[in-house]
Amino acid sequence: VSEESLPKIYQRSEHVVSRANIDPDALKIIYRLIRSGHIAYLVGGGVRDLLLGKTPKDFDIATDATPRQVKTLFRNSRIIGRRFKLVHIFFSGGKNIEVSTFRDSSEEPLDNVFGSAETDARRRDLTINALFYNPADYTIIDYVGGIEDLRKGIIRVIGDPNIRFQEDPVRMLRVVRHASRTGFEIDPWCGQALKDCKDLLKTASQVRVYEEFRKDLSAGYSLESLRGLLKYDLLEMLLPKFSILGPNFLDEGAHLPICLERIDMLVRSGQLISSSVTLATLFLKIEPHLMDESDDSYDIGEIIKYAFDSLVVPRKERERIEALVMAFKQAVEVQENGGAIKKSRFVEPEELIILFSVFFGDESARWIRSQLNKSSGNKRRSKAKIAQ
Ligand code: ATP
Ligand code: MG
């Protein structure tokens, strides 16, 4: 356990974070907390992204006010969480901003045992994710060397990575995701620990493992994430069946990387694409290798289960993948041999179009779009008839 130490403070002239790029509601919350005599900082991914010149997805706030104190300051708020309580403050349009009280250094938080800004920073995962921005004086407060790592382009776990992965194995996936997203190098100590600790993934909460993996696939850097997971021996823990494809299946020039890159480009250009599309893409690549040609009674749902057997894929998601895979195959059949596209109420037409586009290119995507329009046109017409 660490002693109190002085943080590095970066003045306004030494960093690029500007209030103009921060959600005004997050600033209002912070200023109200400060006026009530509390400390309140912007923290986490929001500060990291601002420092990288990116637009943050969300703005989290850390404070020394207890959840109760926060709750009484904001009418439109709710305390959430069982063990460790946080406050969500709600705004119009479904937006909510998370305010958490500084955590203490213990991994298993006790009820209402809170800490300081320093303990809160040190229990976070990566140095670049543990920076505070203080809107009271526009400084960045850095207890962990995060600014230096950002400048050098290094992904580093706070403290001994072996211990931090033991405490929470999901952090291993977060290391790889953040490295893929930023293009930063994983610090060598941390990289070695990833390999040494891979078995811990089995002992982690499988729901959280899946949730982090799903984020890997949907954040616009699925190819780089999968390559990172492969490089650090974690992919064999998550998708062991994919070893059938050989060690080079993510190499430049293979078809799967081309598909994943196309999905990533769409996500990065702002399209909302669910993780089911990426999982269906992965599945469609591995399926031929898993199929037993002599068995014509095989069930696509069973094969999907088998392909992803080390992941706890939620039932709904598995069903979406299954419907998408079946719709895709039926449409390919029509593309090759003619006939009509069967519409499934479990498949978003747009997702089928995306699959065609990433597998076969723009021309095929246009073809499937026109086919789907045709059949929905028919439906509309027949409904109109009934209405008459
Ligand atoms: P994203 O842009 O994907 O949201 P993020 O860094 O904001 O990235 P979140 O999952 O939103 O990621 O988590 C918010 C913050 O909480 C992180 O920046 C990090 O400081 C901390 N955090 C998240 N997960 C862990 C973990 N497993 N262990 C320690 N700290 C964590
Ligand atoms: Mg976040």
Side-chain angles (χ1 to χ4, degrees):
V1 181
S2 56
E3 308 147 26
E4 291 283 305
S5 58
L6 286 178
K8 285 211 179 89
I9 308 278
Y10 294 86
Q11 301 300 325
R12 177 65 189 91
S13 57
E14 299 172 287
H15 66 76
V16 298
V17 175
S18 153
R19 276 172 306 159
N21 300 323
I22 300 172
D23 184 331
D25 290 322
L27 286 173
K28 269 188 233 159
I29 294 172
I30 292 180
Y31 285 129
R32 187 181 295 179
L33 284 162
I34 293 174
R35 276 200 310 275
S36 315
H38 294 291
I39 303 171
Y41 303 138
L42 206 65
V43 69
V47 179
R48 176 201 66 221
D49 287 346
L50 287 172
L51 285 163
L52 288 169
K54 295 186 187 169
T55 308
K57 228 176 36 205
D58 39 38
F59 291 94
D60 296 334
I61 293 167
T63 179
D64 66 349
T66 64
R68 275 193 172 286
Q69 289 172 321
V70 177
K71 172 91 176 74
T72 49
L73 279 174
F74 301 92
R75 294 166 135 269
N76 51 335
S77 68
R78 204 167 68 204
I79 297 181
I80 60 148
R82 250 174 296 156
R83 298 292 306 273
F84 196 84
K85 301 200 177 344
L86 309 166
V87 182
H88 276 181
I89 301 177
F90 299 94
F91 295 89
S92 58
K95 180 171 78 177
N96 73 65
I97 292 179
E98 195 170 286
V99 180
S100 58
T101 306
F102 293 143
R103 285 200 173 184
D104 75 346
S105 49
S106 65
E107 190 57 28
E108 287 287 316
L110 300 167
D111 290 341
N112 299 317
V113 176
F114 301 110
S116 61
E118 178 173 5
T119 57
D120 187 271
R122 290 192 184 283
R123 66 99 198 151
R124 290 175 184 273
D125 55 352
L126 309 178
T127 59
I128 62 168
N129 284 347
L131 297 163
F132 296 118
Y133 172 71
N134 182 2
D137 60 6
Y138 321 131
T139 56
I140 300 277
I141 304 168
D142 180 5
Y143 286 96
V144 295
I147 290 282
E148 245 170 71
D149 284 342
L150 265 177
R151 288 182 179 158
K152 289 193 208 140
I154 293 176
I155 298 292
R156 191 193 314 273
V157 166
I158 300 165
D160 180 339
N162 297 282
I163 296 173
R164 302 306 307 285
F165 295 158
Q166 196 110 36
E167 290 167 352
D168 180 6
V170 161
R171 287 178 186 142
M172 295 194 274
L173 302 181
R174 296 182 56 86
V175 165
V176 174
R177 178 165 77 255
H178 285 294
S180 324
R181 279 212 296 207
T182 52
F184 285 8
E185 288 294 327
I186 295 175
D187 142 77
W189 188 19
C190 178
Q192 188 55 47
L194 285 175
K195 294 187 174 198
D196 294 341
C197 296
K198 64 175 185 209
D199 287 318
L200 291 173
L201 275 182
K202 279 195 221 136
T203 65
S205 147
Q206 294 305 297
V207 171
R208 289 186 58 227
V209 168
Y210 183 73
E211 196 42 43
E212 288 291 340
F213 182 64
R214 201 186 58 74
K215 274 198 212 163
D216 287 345
L217 296 186
S218 3
Y221 297 87
S222 71
L223 177 57
E224 282 317 310
S225 289
L226 289 169
R227 281 179 175 157
L229 293 170
L230 184 67
K231 177 170 174 191
Y232 291 100
D233 301 343
L234 298 172
L235 198 60
E236 64 195 67
M237 306 303 298
L238 301 168
L239 299 174
K241 296 294 183 299
F242 282 70
S243 64
I244 269 183
L245 300 177
N248 303 323
F249 77 106
L250 292 174
D251 285 2
E252 202 85 37
H255 189 232
L256 180 58
I258 293 173
C259 295
L260 294 172
E261 214 152 45
R262 286 179 179 157
I263 293 177
D264 289 341
M265 262 170 20
L266 290 171
V267 174
R268 267 144 54 190
S269 71
Q271 271 223 35
L272 278 179
I273 298 184
S274 74
S275 48
S276 336
V277 173
T278 315
L279 284 160
T281 303
L282 288 174
F283 178 76
L284 283 161
K285 282 289 158 196
I286 191 180
E287 189 214 4
H289 303 266
L290 302 178
M291 234 164 63
D292 179 359
E293 300 286 356
S294 62
D295 180 7
D296 48 281
S297 67
Y298 91 109
D299 172 353
I300 196 88
E302 288 302 313
I303 304 268
I304 289 175
K305 249 194 212 163
Y306 179 75
F308 298 125
D309 64 353
S310 291
L311 285 177
V312 177
V313 183
R315 187 174 53 86
K316 278 244 166 71
E317 175 115 281
R318 223 178 40 231
E319 285 169 357
R320 273 201 302 272
I321 300 167
E322 188 178 332
L324 201 50
V325 164
M326 302 226 279
F328 178 79
K329 290 176 149 196
Q330 200 262 333
V332 170
E333 182 73 29
V334 172
Q335 191 180 30
E336 282 165 8
N337 304 320
I341 305 264
K342 278 190 227 141
K343 282 204 104 184
S344 158
R345 62 196 175 95
F346 301 109
V347 175
E348 290 287 334
E350 205 51 45
E351 296 196 331
L352 191 56
I353 294 165
I354 288 168
L355 263 193
F356 260 71
S357 132
V358 303
F359 262 75
F360 307 122
D362 290 343
E363 198 174 319
S364 280
R366 274 194 293 276
W367 173 81
I368 183 87
R369 189 182 290 282
S370 70
Q371 294 291 310
L372 289 166
N373 282 340
K374 213 159 56 185
S375 55
S376 70
N378 287 341
K379 221 187 219 157
R380 260 202 300 281
R381 236 169 283 136
S382 56
K383 267 199 193 136
K385 241 185 209 157
I386 294 166
Q388 282 168 8

